[in-house]
Amino acid sequence: QLDPENTGFIGVETFASLVHSHELPLDPAKLDMLVALAQGNDEGQVCYQELVDLISSKRSSSFKRAIANGQRALPRDVLLDETGLGFYKRFVRYVAYEILPCEMDRRWYFYQHRTCPPPVFMAAVTLTQIIVFLCYGARLNKWVLQTYHPEYMKSPLVYHPGHRARAWRFLTYMFMHVGLEQLGFNALLQLMIGVPLEMVHGILRISFLYLAGVLAGSLTVSITDMRAPLVGGSGGVYALCSAHLANVVMNWAGMRCPYKLRRMVLPLVCMSSEVGRAVWLRFSPPLPASGPQPSFMAHLAGAIVGISMGLTILRSYEESLQDQCGWWVLLLSYGTFLLFAVFWNIFAYDLLGAQIP
């Protein structure tokens, strides 16, 4: 009766008067979340399907927990309108609007967020990369283009096709960098994008996505650029950044962060500059070198991992990944690629007679 044109939407005021006049025994937490959903769309209307989903608890685990706890009521104020918050709470609010496209997800994350556990993974990786770079810089007395030092490739951390049997190198190369410029790009993107992502989605999901990008990067290089070594955490960085940027693009209308176009341009400029620098060093090195320079294929592999697997992870805020068919398809595809890459590294180099420097 209230929606004669069958649009599936009615105004918030109309719905509120309906609830009041009929004294409907609805859970206050559900009503608050329904209002938050209405605030998240441009028209400020209540969606019939969202009402049905809330009443039947067909929401993610975060909504189910809120519904189960009838004493937990979310404030009706929009997060951006709240004043008097401390520095950390303002940062949490910034992260909520930067990462999550749904208003109800943002409100729930903001009010249930706890400082423990802190986002330690991305901070620990970045700190380790800086320490390793400083140690090698002091040891080699070289801070720019360290790969041109004859002792650099002797590091046990670098991925080198001649040392494929040392399996740890397929991951530990992420702690080594070409020079100060590559370390700066990666550290900036890891802290600017990786830390907020970890705060929202947790250490397990983000660490898995980052390491999946790193591993895919080294294995892709071993297949497509068989003579080249590899250094830098760009595979993991591009997995995080491409997943986040793709999530923003797909949910552009729902993202409420200010200057969102400008915030997309900065990571894209950094990523493009890093890829251009890597391609230039690979094919037109500025200095004579004793062997091939590090490959840039890890950047592309990380981006593919981020757009495929990472986008699924970031779109499923606090939802169980194992309940989604698409997640298992992506996991199976990634496992198939890993299996193919392992056999390639065992047999292809000898069969193709690859000349390893």
Side-chain angles (χ1 to χ4, degrees):
Q1 294 174 349
L2 298 175
D3 183 23
E5 297 180 0
N6 293 320
T7 63
F9 292 87
I10 62 174
V12 175
E13 296 79 6
T14 304
F15 180 77
S17 62
L18 176 69
V19 173
H20 178 73
S21 61
H22 288 269
E23 297 183 353
L24 299 178
L26 298 180
D27 190 325
K30 293 183 181 181
L31 289 177
D32 280 331
M33 286 186 288
L34 193 64
V35 172
L37 274 176
Q39 293 173 346
N41 60 58
D42 297 334
E43 293 79 14
Q45 295 180 322
V46 173
C47 175
Y48 173 76
Q49 189 58 50
E50 291 288 354
L51 172 64
V52 173
D53 289 344
L54 274 175
I55 299 305
S56 60
S57 300
K58 292 181 179 179
R59 300 296 300 184
S60 65
S61 57
S62 61
F63 300 115
K64 292 179 181 178
R65 286 199 300 272
I67 292 171
N69 187 355
Q71 304 300 320
R72 189 195 305 269
L74 299 179
R76 295 178 181 270
D77 297 335
V78 180
L79 295 184
L80 288 179
D81 295 337
E82 296 187 18
T83 58
L85 297 176
F87 173 78
Y88 184 75
K89 268 299 186 181
R90 291 201 304 271
F91 179 68
V92 172
R93 179 175 61 186
Y94 158 79
V95 169
Y97 276 88
E98 183 76 15
I99 302 300
L100 296 171
C102 176
E103 177 69 15
M104 188 154 59
D105 277 342
R106 290 190 287 255
R107 289 163 58 88
W108 176 248
Y109 168 75
F110 180 76
Y111 288 104
Q112 63 88 35
H113 177 76
R114 299 292 181 269
T115 56
C116 187
V120 295
F121 176 76
M122 293 311 309
V125 168
T126 304
L127 181 61
T128 303
Q129 290 172 341
I130 294 175
I131 292 175
V132 170
F133 178 81
L134 293 177
C135 291
Y136 276 90
R139 174 184 171 186
L140 304 177
N141 193 26
K142 191 174 181 63
W143 304 96
V144 179
L145 298 178
Q146 289 184 347
T147 52
Y148 287 86
H149 195 285
E151 297 293 322
Y152 185 83
M153 286 300 168
K154 295 182 180 180
S155 170
L157 302 178
V158 174
Y159 166 78
H160 192 282
H163 300 299
R164 302 185 313 281
R166 302 173 183 177
W168 70 82
R169 291 175 178 259
F170 286 92
L171 284 174
T172 57
Y173 78 91
M174 70 180 185
F175 297 118
M176 305 289 290
H177 287 83
V178 172
L180 188 59
E181 69 287 350
Q182 186 189 28
L183 175 65
F185 278 125
N186 287 346
L188 174 64
L189 293 175
Q190 285 172 177
L191 296 178
M192 185 175 66
I193 295 179
V195 170
L197 286 176
E198 187 178 350
M199 289 178 63
V200 173
H201 297 283
I203 185 174
L204 292 180
R205 292 191 178 195
I206 298 306
S207 61
F208 177 82
L209 178 59
Y210 185 87
L211 295 177
V214 169
L215 185 58
S218 57
L219 291 175
T220 300
V221 170
S222 70
I223 296 173
T224 61
D225 201 356
M226 298 171 64
R227 286 174 48 84
L230 184 62
V231 295
S234 297
V237 172
Y238 276 61
L240 295 179
C241 293
S242 59
H244 173 59
L245 295 178
N247 191 40
V248 171
V249 171
M250 293 189 65
N251 299 279
W252 186 261
M255 300 301 293
R256 298 285 295 276
C257 55
Y259 312 111
K260 56 184 176 182
L261 181 60
R262 189 181 305 173
R263 295 183 181 185
M264 281 195 63
V265 169
L266 180 58
L268 285 175
V269 169
C270 291
M271 294 167 67
S272 302
S273 301
E274 169 65 9
V275 172
R277 181 206 57 82
V279 173
W280 173 61
L281 290 178
R282 178 67 179 89
F283 296 110
S284 300
L287 298 173
S290 58
Q293 292 304 295
S295 176
F296 60 90
M297 291 302 298
H299 301 72
L300 305 181
I304 293 174
V305 169
I307 294 175
S308 56
M309 184 184 298
L311 188 57
T312 302
I313 292 177
L314 300 192
R315 292 181 63 187
S316 306
Y317 170 63
E318 289 201 351
E319 291 185 18
S320 179
L321 292 175
Q322 57 263 29
D323 294 337
Q324 303 180 45
C325 179
W327 168 250
W328 292 108
V329 172
L330 292 172
L331 208 58
L332 179 62
S333 302
Y334 188 77
T336 303
F337 165 73
L338 294 184
L339 188 62
F340 170 78
V342 169
F343 278 94
W344 180 277
N345 278 272
I346 295 175
F347 301 108
Y349 279 76
D350 293 334
L351 292 176
L352 298 176
Q355 298 297 320
I356 300 175

